[in-house]
């Protein structure tokens, strides 16, 4: 049985009343001061997009590669997208040079948003130090949520790796050459390869052996390095015009009972949830590169 005595009293004594723009963690700390282990905060933003990193070396999450559409403020029902021509389609004049002229146009309902969840277990009496508790929520729970969000966007149900119509480019040659080949293919479709999602293994291998990463960044390519693509693979595409992240524009943080197997031992746990889904408008302008 969890003991909650002292949580409300301790936090109520030390939480400042000063007027400031509150972080998600601070808002949750103040909710704990009032409600103890019944604390729950609903946010009218997606909290993975609210925190600035204090790292000297930035590491961008996958959401930063995409254009996010906040459906709470931009209540769309449909999105447009294209597909490659069918095998039996009649030839289109000019498509031998401008390949996109042969693409088919579509309108589809925005798919059901997916729930992304993260958990942390709160060490005993951490709530007695509100500054530390705030930091723990901001930079452990929400950072874990960012990792879970990467999974949703990249490799989960509806993630970029599972969206139909995105072609695979495989070549036994150097990985760098295959990435540049994919960048060229995007431009041959009339787009611009402005984003690259790559495993840190391949990022640092290229960093140590060539100027590929520096050249790409100097050429305006936004690089996201993450474990959520396998080593020896990458996603190259026109993220600026060819894909969107539909976002509910709301989140929740609350104490809750975690699913079995979440933690090694019992203890108070906090969960965070966001709701979103990636769609690809121009799948012909994206490639999964493998070696």
């Amino acid at each position: 049985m969890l003991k909650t005595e002292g949580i409300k009293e301790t936090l109520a004594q030390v939480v400042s009343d000063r007027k400031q723009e509150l972080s998600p963690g601070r808002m949750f700390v103040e909710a704990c001061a009032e409600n103890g282990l019944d604390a729950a905060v609903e946010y009218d933003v997606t909290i993975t997009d609210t925190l600035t990193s204090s790292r000297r070396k930035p590491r961008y999450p996958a959401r930063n590669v995409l254009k996010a559409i906040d459906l709470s403020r931009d209540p769309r029902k449909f999105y447009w997208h294209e597909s490659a021509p069918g095998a039996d389609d009649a030839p289109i004049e000019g498509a031998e040079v401008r390949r996109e002229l042969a693409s088919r146009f579509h309108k589809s309902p925005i798919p059901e948003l997916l729930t992304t969840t993260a958990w942390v277990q709160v060490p005993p009496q951490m709530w007695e130090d509100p500054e530390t508790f705030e930091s723990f929520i901001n930079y452990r729970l929400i950072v874990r949520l960012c990792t879970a969000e990467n999974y949703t966007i990249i490799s989960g149900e509806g993630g970029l790796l599972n969206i139909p119509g995105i072609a695979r480019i495989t070549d036994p040659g150097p990985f760098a050459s295959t990435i540049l080949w994919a960048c060229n293919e995007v431009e041959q479709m009339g787009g611009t390869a402005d984003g690259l999602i790559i495993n840190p293994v391949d990022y640092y291998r290229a960093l140590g052996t060539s100027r590929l990463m520096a050249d790409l960044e100097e050429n305006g390519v936004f690089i996201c390095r993450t474990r959520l693509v396998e080593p020896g693979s990458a996603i190259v595409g026109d993220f600026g015009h060819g894909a969107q992240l539909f976002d509910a524009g709301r989140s929740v943080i609350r104490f809750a009972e975690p699913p079995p197997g979440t933690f090694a031992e019992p203890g108070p746990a906090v969960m965070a949830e966001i709701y979103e889904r990636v769609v690809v408008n121009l799948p012909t302008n994206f490639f999964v590169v493998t070696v």
Side-chain angles (χ1 to χ4, degrees):
M1 187 73 177
L2 298 176
K3 295 184 178 181
T4 63
E5 294 89 341
I7 296 178
K8 296 181 184 180
E9 293 79 2
T10 301
L11 286 172
Q13 291 174 3
V14 292
V15 171
S16 173
D17 291 330
R18 66 187 182 276
K19 300 296 182 181
Q20 60 176 345
E21 184 176 349
L22 301 181
S23 72
R26 174 60 63 171
M27 293 174 69
F28 188 72
V29 165
E30 295 195 359
C32 290
E34 296 182 7
N35 301 305
L37 291 181
D38 293 322
V41 179
E42 295 185 1
Y43 304 85
D44 62 357
V45 295
T46 296
I47 52 178
T48 52
D49 199 33
T50 61
L51 294 178
T52 56
S53 176
S54 59
R55 289 186 177 126
R56 293 178 296 276
K57 175 184 179 182
R59 185 177 181 186
Y60 299 106
R63 80 160 15 247
N64 285 33
V65 188
L66 294 154
K67 178 182 180 181
I69 307 296
D70 183 345
L71 294 177
S72 69
R73 295 163 176 81
D74 184 355
R76 306 181 187 186
K77 296 181 180 179
F78 300 93
Y79 74 102
W80 62 267
H81 54 106
E82 297 181 15
S83 64
D88 298 327
D89 284 4
I92 302 298
E93 184 178 353
E96 66 277 2
V97 176
R98 292 178 290 159
R99 301 178 191 173
E100 70 276 11
L101 295 180
S103 296
R104 293 185 171 196
F105 300 96
H106 309 276
K107 181 190 81 170
S108 295
I110 293 173
E112 181 179 358
L113 302 187
L114 302 170
T115 299
T116 299
T117 308
W119 291 87
V120 291
Q121 196 169 40
V122 183
Q125 310 308 313
M126 179 174 281
W127 43 74
E128 294 181 358
D129 182 349
E131 302 301 328
T132 299
F133 194 19
E134 175 186 3
S135 175
F136 183 65
I137 296 299
N138 285 339
Y139 294 105
R140 185 67 284 181
L141 177 60
I142 296 180
V143 167
R144 280 197 169 189
L145 188 62
C146 289
T147 301
E149 181 181 50
N150 278 356
Y151 178 83
T152 297
I153 291 171
I154 296 169
S155 51
E157 176 193 353
L160 291 167
L161 292 175
N162 296 311
I163 290 178
I166 296 180
R168 267 59 177 170
I169 292 180
T170 301
D171 190 273
F175 193 34
S177 299
T178 313
I179 288 174
L180 295 176
W181 177 16
C183 291
N184 171 65
E185 286 297 305
V186 174
E187 300 215 0
Q188 295 299 333
M189 286 301 305
T192 298
D194 63 356
L196 170 68
I197 301 177
I198 190 170
N199 191 285
V201 168
D202 299 306
Y203 176 88
Y204 286 109
R205 182 179 290 124
L207 205 64
T209 59
S210 73
R211 277 193 48 85
L212 175 66
M213 293 300 126
D215 287 344
L216 288 172
E217 289 187 303
E218 288 173 9
N219 198 41
V221 177
F222 191 103
I223 298 174
C224 168
R225 57 188 193 275
T226 172
R227 302 162 291 173
L228 274 302
V229 291
E230 293 289 334
S233 67
I235 304 172
V236 177
D238 188 339
F239 289 89
H241 288 175
Q244 297 173 92
L245 181 66
F246 287 113
D247 183 329
R250 59 187 179 86
S251 317
V252 64
I253 296 178
R254 60 184 173 88
F255 282 103
E257 186 66 29
T262 303
F263 301 112
E265 57 186 7
V270 178
M271 60 155 286
E273 279 187 352
I274 56 176
Y275 318 95
E276 61 194 5
R277 188 162 188 155
V278 64
V279 301
V280 174
N281 307 91
L282 301 173
T284 55
N285 288 25
F286 284 82
F287 295 91
V288 176
V289 174
T290 58
V291 295

